Amino acid sequence: METIYNMVVDGHINYDFLISAFPWLVAEKQKAIISPDTDGILCGLLMSYYYDWQVVGYYDGKHLAIKQNLRPSDCVFLD
């Protein structure tokens, strides 16, 4: 049985295990909430380009701004 400890093998990320354990990482057309800094914006751009994710809001640790009629629990948070 595979465990979370199978994520790193010989010092390298085991991408096959990672994707099988967390398939939402590569699922298409998800809604994302990003952090409003450079890495959050770049992650949003990357996922929108490769997986057609839609950025629907941002958070900064204190505030959350999200499109109307969406629940944060239905979104992926990227940072």
Side-chain angles (χ1 to χ4, degrees), residues 24-25 27 29-30 32 47-48 51-55 76 78:
W24 59 268
L25 288 171
K29 300 189 184 297
Q30 295 202 68
M47 298 308 277
S48 65
Y51 295 107
D52 200 23
W53 285 22
Q54 180 185 14
V55 174
V76 174
L78 291 176

Side-chain angles (χ1 to χ4, degrees), residues 9-50:
V9 176
D10 295 327
H12 300 283
I13 295 174
N14 181 347
Y15 290 104
D16 292 330
F17 172 77
L18 187 65
I19 291 171
S20 68
F22 307 103
W24 59 268
L25 288 171
V26 292
E28 294 186 357
K29 300 189 184 297
Q30 295 202 68
K31 292 177 177 28
I33 297 173
I34 63 171
S35 59
D37 52 14
T38 305
D39 61 326
I41 293 168
L42 290 174
C43 285
L45 287 170
L46 180 80
M47 298 308 277
S48 65
Y49 181 80
Y50 284 104

Side-chain angles (χ1 to χ4, degrees), residues 30-33 56 66 70-77:
Q30 295 202 68
K31 292 177 177 28
I33 297 173
V56 296
I66 187 171
L70 288 177
R71 295 181 309 185
S73 61
D74 294 331
C75 302
V76 174
F77 283 72

